[in-house]
Amino acid sequence: MSLWFMSAAILPDLTREFEISPFSQAALSSAVQIGFVAGAVLSAILGLADRIDPRRLFAACAIVAALFNAGLLVVEPGGALSIIARFATGALLAGVYPVGMKIVVGWGQKDRGFLVGTLVGALTFGSAAPHLLALLGGSDWRWSLSVASLAAAAGGVLCLFTTLGPFHAKAPRMRIGAILTAWTNPKIRYAYAGYLGHMWELYAMWAWIGIALAASFSAQMPSDAAISLSRLIAFLAIAAGGAACIAAGVLADRVGKANIAIAAMAVSASAAVASALTFGGPVWLTILCVLIWGAAILPDSAQFSALVADFAPPDQAGSLMSLQTALGFALTFFTVQLTPLAADFVGWPGVFTIMAIGPALGIAGMLRLKRYQLGPQ
C-alpha cells in the first residue's frame, strides 16, 4: 500500500523539477482512486476474490502495481502516461486491499473486528510510508519512489507464504447477482452508508494533509522547515490511525462494531473542525489536533468491512467487500480531485470543516443500523 500516496508525498519535489498544472497535480492522486474503483467493480462482478486463490491474486496484483509505480521513473510526471500509470496502480491495488480482507476474515468470526482492524492498520502504515520515504529521501524523489516499488513487490511475494483460514469459503462459479445482496440486505446497506460517510473525509485528508500542513506551518516558520515538518506529521497522523485501528478492533469485539464506528466518527469530525480552527496558528496546537484527527479517522473503516463480512453469506463476502470499497473509492475520486480546488476558494480551514460532514452522516447510518438490529426481525 506504499504506492497509494506516493505522488502526493513527492509532489513538492516534482513541481520543483517539472511544470505540472494544478489539474495534473490532483489527477496524479485521483487517478489512483478511480483506478481502484474500476478494479474493485470488475473484481466484484467477476467474484475474483471468492472464486480463485486470493493469495495468488494478491501477490500478482501487488507485483504488477509495483512495476507501474516504478514506471514514473521513465515517464514525465504530470503527463498523460504518468496519469495512466497511476490509474493502473490503483486498479491493481483493488486486488490487494479487498482481497487481503477476504483472506483475513477466513481466520475468525468472534474476533473478526480485531482481525480486520489489524489488516486495515497494516494498510494504514503502508499508506503513511510515502511521507516517511519522502522525508528520508529529501529532494531525491526517485529514491523514494524506487523504495516504495520494491516494498510493494516484496509484500506481494510475502502473501504467498500465508495459508487460508478455517472459515474461508470459495464460490463455485461466477454469480453476478450476488452483489445485489448489498441492496436487498438492509444491514449491509446501512453498513455501506456508514462507510460512505467515512470515506468522504478519509482519503481527501490522507492525500492532502501534508500539503495543507505545509501551508499552515509556513505562517510560523520558513518554507523549507515547514515542508519537512509537514511530511513528518503527515506520516505520524496517518500511522496513528493504523495503531488506533488495531486497538479499536479489540474493543469492537467486546462492545460492538457499530458502537466503535460511531465513537470514531464523532471524534474524527470534532478533530477536523478543531484542526480548521487552529490552522495557521501555534504549530504545536495544530499538530496535536491533526494527530488526534489522524488517530480517529480510521478505526471505523475496519468495522464497516467486518460488519459486511458478518452480514454477508461467506461465499459472497469477498465480492461484497470489494463492492463496498468500490463505492467508497468512487466517492473519493471526487473528494481527492476537488479538495485542492476547494482550498483555493474557501481555504484549508474551510475544507477541513467540509470534511467533517462525512462522519456526521456516517453516524446517522450507523444509528439506523443499530435501530434495525434492535427492532423486530
Side-chain angles (χ1 to χ4, degrees):
M1 296 304 297
S2 60
L3 309 180
W4 199 288
F5 293 116
M6 200 65 243
S7 60
I10 61 177
L11 188 59
D13 303 314
L14 292 177
T15 53
R16 277 196 291 265
E17 186 174 338
F18 301 94
E19 288 288 337
I20 305 177
S21 69
F23 176 84
S24 294
Q25 292 178 30
L28 285 170
S29 290
S30 57
V32 181
Q33 313 295 115
I34 199 64
F36 183 93
V37 172
V41 168
L42 181 63
S43 176
I45 291 174
L46 299 179
L48 297 181
D50 294 317
R51 293 172 51 226
I52 63 179
D53 189 326
R55 298 165 298 183
R56 295 179 180 178
L57 179 60
F58 184 113
C61 289
I63 293 170
V64 179
L67 293 175
F68 273 103
N69 188 69
L72 294 180
L73 295 169
V74 296
V75 300
E76 180 183 356
L81 288 178
S82 68
I83 294 173
I84 291 172
R86 296 299 287 158
F87 174 90
T89 300
L92 289 158
L93 288 177
V96 174
Y97 174 33
V99 175
M101 287 194 292
K102 169 68 176 182
I103 295 172
V104 78
V105 298
W107 278 102
Q109 291 180 327
K110 293 182 179 180
D111 59 348
R112 187 166 281 168
F114 166 70
L115 291 172
V116 179
T118 302
L119 180 76
V120 175
L123 172 145
T124 308
F125 294 136
S127 298
H131 296 286
L132 180 62
L133 292 175
L135 178 64
L136 296 176
S139 60
D140 187 0
W141 61 269
R142 292 174 177 83
W143 178 88
S144 305
L145 189 75
S146 299
V147 173
S149 299
L150 291 172
V157 172
L158 285 173
C159 190
L160 293 173
F161 291 91
T162 191
T163 54
L164 300 179
F167 300 101
H168 176 78
K170 182 178 180 180
R173 62 186 184 281
M174 183 176 72
R175 293 182 296 175
I176 296 177
I179 63 175
L180 295 178
T181 305
W183 178 254
T184 58
N185 186 323
K187 295 178 182 179
I188 295 179
R189 192 164 68 242
Y190 291 139
Y192 273 28
Y195 181 73
L196 290 174
H198 152 78
M199 291 297 283
W200 170 268
E201 67 164 346
L202 178 64
Y203 273 79
M205 188 271 199
W206 277 3
W208 297 110
I209 192 60
I211 302 298
L213 286 177
S216 177
F217 297 160
S218 292
Q220 303 289 332
M221 62 177 62
S223 178
D224 288 344
I227 290 175
S228 295
L229 181 59
S230 69
R231 285 173 168 173
L232 176 61
I233 301 306
F235 167 75
L236 293 175
I238 297 174
C245 200
I246 298 171
V250 176
L251 289 175
D253 292 320
R254 300 177 182 176
V255 304
K257 301 178 182 68
N259 291 329
I260 289 296
I262 290 171
M265 287 187 286
V267 175
S268 178
S270 300
V273 174
S275 299
L277 294 174
T278 63
F279 191 90
V283 171
W284 70 268
L285 187 56
T286 302
I287 290 174
L288 177 62
C289 293
V290 168
L291 289 178
I292 294 173
W293 189 10
I297 201 171
L298 189 70
D300 50 336
S301 183
Q303 304 317 312
F304 295 128
S305 298
L307 285 168
V308 170
D310 286 347
F311 302 145
D315 63 347
Q316 296 180 20
S319 296
L320 290 170
M321 287 189 291
S322 294
L323 179 61
Q324 178 191 37
T325 56
L327 294 173
F329 283 93
L331 176 62
T332 67
F333 166 75
F334 297 100
T335 59
V336 169
Q337 185 73 23
L338 294 176
T339 290
L341 303 178
D344 289 338
F345 285 96
V346 300
W348 285 110
V351 170
F352 289 174
T353 304
I354 293 171
M355 287 183 186
I357 296 173
L361 295 175
I363 290 173
M366 285 295 94
L367 291 175
R368 291 289 300 272
L369 173 62
K370 286 173 63 68
R371 283 198 294 269
Y372 182 85
Q373 289 179 299
L374 294 173
Q377 303 298 308

